[in-house]
Amino acid sequence: MTGKLNYYRRLFALYRSYRRRDIVVPAPPLRLWVELSSRCNLRCPFCPNQDLPAEAKGDMAWPLFKGIIDQARGSVFEINLHHRGESLLHPEAGRFIGYAASQGVSSKLHTNGTLLQGKISEVLLDSGLQRLSISFDGADAVLYEKNRLGANFAQVTENISDFLRQRRRSGRKTPRLAIEMMRVSQAGNAKKNQKEFVGRFKKLGLDELVLKDAHNWAGHLPGTVPPDKFFACTFPWNALAIFFDGTVAPCAQDFFGHGSLGNAAATPLLEIWNGPPMQKLRQAHAEGRIAGFQACSGCDRVRRRTLGGIPLEYMKRMIFRRMP
């Protein structure tokens, strides 16, 4: 079922359902976000993780994870093994990542890079993981440590360098490594610093630099939401996010689970995919009446520039399978 041709067939089928505003979508979701852990070892000012209550922080249990992957096998093309926390804090992260990769699904992981060293690096290189992306917001120590509270610039840059050296020595091409940075002001020497910063990793084999626009986490963070712009969000027609406790959300921006669709520990994913809550949400987006959906009404992503309904910032990555 997996493979490039089938990926584009599914992508087209889901896009067709989106354009028709189908309330029941015949094709399964293209991708999943599966949260290994909602715990995090940093306190970044632009991340809502620090606002999660204690009961919302934990690690996914093996039976739940295995059940999700077994259901996704053969139908879901991409599984992002992260969401609200730092997945490498999970004590069995290597086992989980290895199992997902072994089932023939393209698996991806996003990390802050603080734990990317020693045994963990070895495990990731051996796991079958296809893509590893690292958040690194700031090309110098002052800016980085302001944005990534609790992280050390020198240590994390060395972690990335060591990982790239290990990958080169191993002769492996995967996981492909990307550094993700928020777009910041290019005043002063910022642009030059960024170029030099990325250049040091390019020499070691860095595969990609991804520049991202900041967003307001579905209205949780301050930000301007233009009242006169709206497009039906593509998420309810192509993906699901699953929290560590099995709660299923329709979107990776719904950090607090305001739009819970059900629980994967109790209900098969395909039933949730076209269940009443999801149908209700799709209907609301199709009709442009999202005021009653907390995570959608304040979200700035449904008010960004699009082409054919697809956010321009995602289009290239979606086509070339570089999501998220």
Side-chain angles (χ1 to χ4, degrees):
M1 182 61 194
T2 56
K4 184 176 290 188
L5 181 59
N6 285 326
Y7 172 83
Y8 289 114
R9 283 174 175 166
R10 176 71 59 77
L11 187 63
F12 176 74
L14 290 172
Y15 180 67
R16 184 173 54 193
S17 284
Y18 168 75
R19 293 292 293 175
R20 292 189 311 221
R21 300 297 191 261
D22 291 343
I23 306 308
V24 174
V25 176
L30 188 72
R31 55 180 57 88
L32 299 178
W33 272 255
V34 181
E35 181 179 81
L36 301 193
S37 178
S38 60
R39 298 181 295 123
C40 190
N41 55 345
L42 301 184
R43 304 177 307 283
C44 305
F46 47 80
C47 178
N49 185 277
Q50 59 191 316
D51 299 327
L52 282 176
E55 62 271 17
K57 295 189 176 184
D59 300 333
M60 184 170 282
W62 171 252
L64 174 59
F65 180 80
K66 184 177 184 300
I68 291 169
I69 300 303
D70 289 348
Q71 291 179 66
R73 180 179 55 218
S75 62
V76 173
F77 282 84
E78 297 177 354
I79 295 186
N80 304 294
L81 300 171
H82 58 269
H83 185 17
R84 301 174 297 172
E86 172 51 57
S87 292
L88 296 182
L89 284 172
H90 195 297
E92 294 187 281
R95 179 190 184 194
F96 282 49
I97 295 167
Y99 185 73
S102 74
Q103 299 309 298
V105 181
S106 179
S107 54
K108 305 179 180 184
L109 182 73
H110 191 71
T111 176
N112 59 38
T114 58
L115 303 175
L116 189 64
Q117 51 189 263
K119 184 65 176 177
I120 290 179
S121 292
E122 293 177 16
V123 167
L124 291 180
L125 284 167
D126 292 336
S127 67
L129 187 70
Q130 291 298 302
R131 179 178 170 86
L132 179 66
S133 55
I134 301 172
S135 288
F136 208 105
D137 298 315
D140 60 71
V142 173
L143 182 58
Y144 172 78
E145 291 176 8
K146 176 183 177 182
N147 289 332
R148 295 278 160 183
L149 291 180
N152 180 276
F153 178 86
Q155 181 61 66
V156 179
T157 53
E158 187 58 28
N159 289 351
I160 298 170
S161 297
D162 281 346
F163 184 84
L164 287 167
R165 293 188 193 103
Q166 284 183 257
R167 190 182 68 173
R168 177 175 288 177
R169 288 194 298 268
S170 73
R172 292 182 173 87
K173 300 295 184 182
T174 58
R176 291 181 57 81
L177 188 68
I179 289 179
E180 297 193 359
M181 304 181 78
M182 291 291 183
R183 297 183 195 275
V184 295
S185 170
Q186 297 299 314
N189 293 321
K191 190 172 184 178
K192 179 182 177 183
N193 290 345
Q194 180 176 290
K195 184 177 181 180
E196 292 176 351
F197 171 80
V198 174
R200 65 183 288 191
F201 299 118
K202 285 283 188 181
K203 293 177 182 177
L204 294 171
L206 178 71
D207 297 291
E208 187 179 6
L209 169 67
V210 178
L211 296 177
K212 303 176 71 174
D213 294 318
H215 58 86
N216 68 358
W217 283 113
H220 183 74
L221 298 181
T224 302
V225 179
D228 57 340
K229 294 177 65 178
F230 171 80
F231 67 90
C233 183
T234 56
F235 259 100
W237 279 271
N238 84 88
L240 292 172
I242 307 169
F243 294 178
F244 80 94
D245 62 357
T247 299
V248 180
C251 172
Q253 308 307 312
D254 188 2
F255 210 90
F256 296 90
H258 295 306
S260 175
L261 305 171
N263 194 292
T267 308
L269 289 176
L270 288 182
E271 287 188 24
I272 294 174
W273 175 239
N274 278 313
M278 183 61 110
Q279 291 187 39
K280 183 178 179 181
L281 180 63
R282 289 182 186 133
Q283 187 74 53
H285 273 267
E287 297 175 358
R289 48 171 186 80
I290 59 171
F293 296 85
Q294 184 174 345
C296 301
S297 59
C299 184
D300 57 1
R301 288 192 179 274
V302 296
R303 295 171 173 86
R304 295 192 175 190
R305 293 176 60 203
T306 68
L307 180 62
I310 307 298
L312 289 177
E313 63 188 295
Y314 288 151
M315 185 168 289
K316 182 178 178 181
R317 282 186 279 158
M318 184 174 286
I319 292 172
F320 293 102
R321 300 186 69 176
R322 290 177 177 171
M323 297 291 287

